[in-house]
Amino acid sequence: MKALATLLWLPVAALLIAGGFLVVAWSQGSADGQTYQARRAATIARAVAWVDVQEAMRIDDAGKGQTQRFVEAVAKTVPGVEEALIVKGVNYKAHSDPARAGQRLDVESLEAKALYDDARRLKANVDKNADERAKNPDLAYDPYPEVELRPVPGGLQALAVGEDAGKYIGTARITASPAPYRFDLPWLIVFLALGLSAIWLGIGGRIPAKPRIGVGVAALVGLVIAGSAILPGWRNDLRRAQAAGDAATLAALDEAGLLAAQAPAWDEEDWEDLEDDEKAEETARITANGLIPYLDRGLNGALEGRLVKVQVANEGDATRLEPPTGAPPGTLLFSAEGRSVYFSGEAFDAAVVEDEAGVRLWGIGFGIVGLLIFLLGELGQLQRASRAAYKHRGAYGYLSPAMIGMLILVFVPVVYGVVLGFTQRTYNITEFAGLANYIEILADTDVGDPNNFYFKLGVTLMWTILNVGLHVGIGLFLALMLNDQMLKARGIYRVILIVPWAIPNYITALIWKGMFNKQFGAVNAFIEMMGGESLSWFQSFWPAFSTNLITNTWLGFPFMMVVCLGALQSIPTDLYEAAWVDGANRWQRFRQITLPLLMPALVPAVIVGAVWTFNMFNIIYLVSGGAPNGATDILITDAYRWAFERDRYGYAAAYSTIIFLILLGFTLLTNRITGATKGAFE
Amino acid sequence: MASVTLTDVSKRFGDNTVVKNVFLEIADGEFVVLVGPSGCGKSTTLRMIAGLEDITSGQLKIGERVVNDLTPRDRDVAMVFQSYALYPHMTVYDNISFGLRLRKMPKPEIDQRVRDAAEKLGLTELLDRKPKAMSGGQRQRVAMGRAIVRQPAVFLFDEPLSNLDAKLRVQMRAEIARMHRREGVTTVYVTHDQIEAMTLADRIVVMNFGVVQQVGAPLELYREPANVFVAGFIGSPSMNFFDVDLSTTGGTPTISGKGVAAVEVPQRFRPHLGDKTQLVLGVRPEHLGEVSESPHITARVDMLEPLGSEVHALGEVDDQSIVASLEPDTRVRIGGNVGLRMDLDEIHLFDRETGVALGRQTHQGGAA
Ligand SMILES: Nc1ncnc2c1ncn2[C@@H]1O[C@H](COP(=O)(O)OP(=O)(O)OP(=O)(O)O)[C@@H](O)[C@H]1O
Ligand SMILES: [Mg+2]
């Protein structure tokens, strides 16, 4: 019986690892499917808007009807696209249903009303941007506006606006059904795990106890390796399917007669004859001028560099499923309905490698968990733990409400936040982004820019150091005064000085903000009364930073004062008298007796104070509000702005995780250093 | 080294005068002990000498300097506190060298002095410890070390041994005595343990309610207490007192009182009797002898405390308690009666009204 119990751990661990792989495969697969679907819808929406712009900009009639042809072709050839349309004002300029092309929107229907509102809103954006650019010529014109994506029942919609240098042309909308993407479970892993377990149960009992653990570990490691080898291969198919989908989009463009006009086809020989730099130049030309920039953009609008060349095959030439010899080196070919698309092999491989690494990582993670369970089970730890849990079930019972509360309120949100940091989200589509957020935050070294992470870190550090320094300095000074036996009415002063602490800090912040008001503020009134010149406190960095600093100093010193006062009162007067008799003057008594004996109380307070100040959201947000231009924002307020003002939750989560790591490092470091001061009263 | 002179020194806290008109001259190198009941102003007096308390009125001189307005750091005194007041964040070495470092003494000399002091006090092994990690006796020695390295003009001790157990206290007492003999530094020492006072002091100052009752060598205080308070305070167990009335029968003055048979007043008191009739008779327990015939006092024994070399009998005479020191082989039993006879050469008589011993001129026995 006992032998069987120890044998059971391998099957448990093996099935857990296999299950883990399945979960990863399924979740990543469906996430990829979603991303792919969104990406394709976005691409097509942009392309439709672009085609429409081209048509509108033509003086001659050569392009007339091309948009209508294109939307029809898209709906026909691209798998999953159900409807494509262009709307301007109250009219459909083009519609994949030819009957509705050129018709008015049926404003009675809710669906059409929503479309009308969306188009109006996007037009307003274009107008507003044009206005801004007119006022400020430095603002860059982005010809590739972001695409709006939103899920609708049974699929999703992508909206893209067409504009020509600030002139609104129309709004394209694509409605796509879920990706035509088939997800195969990697059954091999499941069978491997089941087979392994069966074999183990058959012969495991005959292996002596010690080697048995080794064999078990080897079996599980093998399972993990097999799993991480199988998964990425399976995922390459998915990539190929995506590329084929892109080819279908291009086929639609060609069918609308657009490709020939935009992208000159290259003869294989001609392409061969080009020098390397000419090839690059030509690629860039095609890229810059033609459709490719519209097709080759990710969800967030960034150029991906996947498409390098578009080639229209000759009529009836259906043989080119292998890359022709003349294809740019390192490209992959995909074709649909006779049209060929060359993808950059490098970009494709990079994506695959990144994916593989991700899957391997997950695999190894599950492997480690599985191995731990196996080892703990074999060594009897798990049995012992469960026996202990049962034996002390009363205690654990009492603890469990608190533990569950902690789990839900602390652990889950923290883990969720950290995980969120590895994702990127565009509108409602969240995708796994690896370390992209972290790289974006940390690799940007333009430190002069107020929105740069290192600039913010510098401001935050300065903010923290100055604040804590002032809090401790003022707090200690006042505590020394209050502790002086000679001072009359100490109780009254003590109460008054604690008041700033007792008032909710956002009220204090708002009061101070009002006092720093340029026109009506008390501070400027005072300055003027003294014959000075009133100041626009929030127009430049240092005055704005000072308003925060002054407010937070006002709020922060009472805490340090109370801490110091408590610590001072615990220092026996004997010590001062002894030092006095020993020959110490006032300063020496402070330096040699008071200060060292304050340390055990002061150091933890300073650490806590530093952490609080580092994350002091309220004051920055309410007083300077980051003015001017976010320069006085600290990391935590900036993280807030990334999340709730710029809608980049993943980026904000990564930001917060970095803040957390900084503070964690700080605390560990100080704890280690201050281990020395702990000994003062020992 | 220096003498210390208090001239008409008083100290008031608000309306409360806790030290009254103290005159005291302490010679250079002398060991003076202040004793008295709790709250009598010993510490206050000592702290005034140290400079930790202002002097309300009067004059304080250390050596030839009037130091009334000097801060402690300028008085060249060293003080050992009852709590030891060791700096908790410093090692023993740093505690001892603290005063020297403040005076910017060269490092090698500091080291020399600290090691010498540590050697004398047996602290060499402990120099790197912090106060928390030491026993009470060790801390006490560190406190003393801190005082001696300074080589001050005056040592001040405020009940330095009261936090130690009995055995350590005896040891440290010897240590202090040895140190004083070796260094010969003027020392003022506060205690309320009279054995400490008797064994250490060159002279003892007895205080009560902020007033100096008597100043004198230990045996002088024992033999010739100036008043009832000193008589009762010095000596252990303390002196027995009886209210007695003076009557003259046939030309010889006789005293008698409750529980005490009539005795003739010894010759030495007679010139000082004047017209007083109400007196207090004092007799120490060790001057009461057990007799079987014609006792002066017959007491009922309530309790016996055999100490080996003697037996203390605690008893009662006419509702007054009495203690007698008897021979170890006494046959007295608890509940029985014992007849006691006073050694008339050793009895004391005091004026019942003023408490002053007969033969003494003034209430206060300040050093002249
Ligand atoms: N800072 C002070 N303020 C007011 N009264 C004080 C102060 N210090 C001492 N006293 C009073 O002065 C009197 C003498 O105090 P002191 O400390 O000198 O007594 P002491 O003889 O040392 O007693 P003990 O043997 O208990 O130490 C006491 O009644 C005390 O209450
Ligand atoms: Mg005292």
Side-chain angles (χ1 to χ4, degrees), chain A residues 551-568:
Chain A
T551 309
N552 201 43
T553 301
W554 165 263
L555 277 169
F557 78 82
F559 171 71
M560 291 295 174
M561 186 186 82
V562 169
V563 168
C564 289
L565 206 53
L568 281 177

Side-chain angles (χ1 to χ4, degrees), chain A residues 103-174:
Chain A
Q103 300 295 308
R104 275 177 70 98
L105 270 68
D106 173 17
V107 285
E108 301 283 298
S109 98
L110 273 182
E111 215 275 330
K113 174 76 167 72
L115 174 61
Y116 173 78
D117 288 344
D118 284 335
R120 277 277 302 262
R121 186 166 45 78
L122 291 173
K123 176 179 186 300
N125 284 352
V126 169
D127 294 346
K128 189 167 162 239
N129 287 344
D131 273 1
E132 296 270 312
R133 275 198 305 277
K135 271 186 251 160
N136 185 355
D138 291 344
L139 286 179
Y141 168 58
D142 180 6
Y144 308 107
E146 278 190 6
V147 173
E148 279 194 22
L149 284 166
R150 79 167 66 95
V152 291
L156 92 168
Q157 283 182 342
L159 286 149
V161 65
E163 66 169 310
D164 180 62
K167 184 165 169 285
Y168 173 75
I169 306 291
T171 300
R173 192 183 75 179
I174 304 300

